[in-house]
Amino acid sequence: MKKLISFILLAVLAIALTACAGGKEKDESSSDTTGNKKLIVGASAVPHAEVLDAAKPLLKEKGIDLEVQVFQDYILPNVTLRDKDLDANYFQTPGYLELQMKENKDFDFVSVGEIHKEPIGIYSKEYKSLKDLPNGAKIIMSDSLSDHGRILPIFEKEGLIKLKEGVGANARVEDIVDNPKNLDFSTLIEAKLLATSFESGEGDAVVINTNYALEGNVDIGKYGIAFEGDDVVPANLVVVRSEDKDREEIKALVEVLQSKEIQDFILEKYKGAVTVAE
């Protein structure tokens, strides 16, 4: 009986050792790669992810495989970067980055390069210019405060409102000191919903971030009645955790995105709706 028990124990031990050996072999084979380094970058669908897709072959030539994760909002790309599930993200402007880092003390991020610019546009199906807007016109715009400092100066430049002196890019609705037409700026919605709101015919004018106008197939040339001046449009950035700013793969990513090949791609594909950062 003792011999039988010993035999069974030996058999179980042999099976366990074989399983461990098999698992070890599997782990070793899964780490066997082509030698290319991998970068995971989070981005908005349009134009950011499209620009990154165009950059993939150029990065592969440098021994880097680029994986693009597409996000539909402006919150998760930074949360995911913080959690180290991304190596970088590409979707935000300096004002938005600054605001997010101020509101989230655990966001230790830095910009490593400016890539392109997207002028915010004001769209209307009924009116051909801002000056045509009627008294009490309802203006729908993003609920992101960092956008307000870009939007309100467009109205001020056209003479529809006057802002408190010196507020500049930090302008908020409460900084409006003169509003002769009593324009209604009280309707604020998520930026990703602006194109849908416009297509539904809501409001007299809708202020849409260019990436969401492109993604929502809004006819920019037909319905755009006013835009930021190119001299004040902030650049869209590649952002990383501060600890990663000197990584060679990150430097290669920025170099490719700022290359003539990618700049030409941006200018040709978006016909001026998106411009390159200088």
Side-chain angles (χ1 to χ4, degrees):
M1 184 69 175
K2 288 181 179 180
K3 288 183 179 181
L4 178 60
I5 293 173
S6 297
F7 177 77
I8 292 172
L9 288 173
L10 286 171
V12 170
L13 179 61
I15 291 171
L17 289 172
T18 301
C20 289
K24 183 178 180 181
E25 182 179 349
K26 181 177 180 180
D27 289 342
E28 288 174 350
S29 65
S30 66
S31 65
D32 183 20
T33 68
T34 61
N36 281 4
K37 295 179 180 179
K38 184 176 182 180
L39 271 182
I40 305 175
V41 179
S44 298
V46 183
H48 308 81
E50 293 178 344
V51 173
L52 289 169
D53 284 339
K56 283 182 179 179
L58 298 175
L59 283 166
K60 189 171 282 291
E61 291 175 7
K62 294 177 178 290
I64 298 171
D65 290 330
L66 175 63
E67 178 183 326
V68 181
Q69 288 192 13
V70 178
F71 292 85
Q72 301 301 323
D73 69 357
Y74 289 159
I75 304 299
L76 286 177
N78 277 336
V79 173
T80 311
L81 180 63
R82 177 202 63 193
D83 294 343
K84 299 190 175 183
D85 293 319
L86 297 175
D87 296 297
N89 65 42
Y90 169 40
F91 77 99
Q92 59 194 320
T93 60
Y96 184 77
L97 174 62
E98 180 182 354
L99 183 63
Q100 284 293 295
M101 289 181 64
K102 189 177 295 184
E103 293 179 351
N104 299 274
K105 301 305 182 184
D106 56 349
F107 284 4
D108 183 16
F109 302 154
V110 63
S111 165
V112 289
E114 300 181 346
I115 310 303
H116 74 267
K117 296 181 177 183
E118 301 173 19
I120 281 183
I122 303 172
Y123 299 85
S124 178
K125 290 186 174 180
E126 187 171 352
Y127 304 101
K128 299 299 182 184
S129 73
L130 286 184
K131 291 181 179 179
D132 291 337
L133 292 174
N135 289 337
K138 179 180 179 180
I139 314 299
I140 299 176
M141 60 184 188
S142 165
D143 61 1
S144 175
L145 292 179
S146 63
D147 284 341
H148 295 187
R150 300 173 61 187
I151 295 167
L152 296 174
I154 305 175
F155 287 88
E156 183 177 48
K157 186 177 180 180
E158 292 291 328
L160 273 72
I161 62 171
K162 184 175 177 57
L163 294 166
K164 189 185 301 180
E165 189 173 347
V167 293
N170 295 314
R172 302 291 183 260
V173 172
E174 54 267 29
D175 294 320
I176 298 174
V177 295
D178 191 22
N179 185 2
K181 285 192 171 184
N182 293 312
L183 300 180
D184 179 359
F185 294 98
S186 63
T187 304
L188 309 178
I189 64 175
E190 282 188 79
K192 66 180 180 180
L193 301 176
L194 290 165
T196 301
S197 179
F198 172 75
E199 293 298 349
S200 299
E202 299 174 19
D204 295 290
V206 182
V207 190
I208 311 178
N209 306 66
T210 297
N211 59 310
Y212 286 125
L214 291 168
E215 190 176 337
N217 296 314
V218 174
D219 191 326
I220 293 174
K222 182 177 180 180
Y223 296 117
I225 61 173
F227 296 88
E228 285 179 285
D230 192 57
D231 58 327
V232 297
V233 180
N236 278 231
L237 312 171
V238 173
V239 173
V240 301
R241 294 180 295 277
S242 295
E243 65 195 61
D244 292 334
K245 63 184 176 61
D246 294 321
R247 281 177 59 191
E248 291 304 315
E249 307 94 288
I250 297 297
K251 290 180 179 179
L253 172 66
V254 174
E255 180 183 322
V256 165
L257 291 177
Q258 292 177 339
S259 68
K260 187 176 186 304
E261 292 94 327
I262 297 302
Q263 288 182 334
D264 288 346
F265 168 82
I266 290 171
L267 294 174
E268 181 178 344
K269 182 171 181 62
Y270 301 110
K271 312 297 182 187
V274 179
T275 61
V276 296
E278 298 176 358

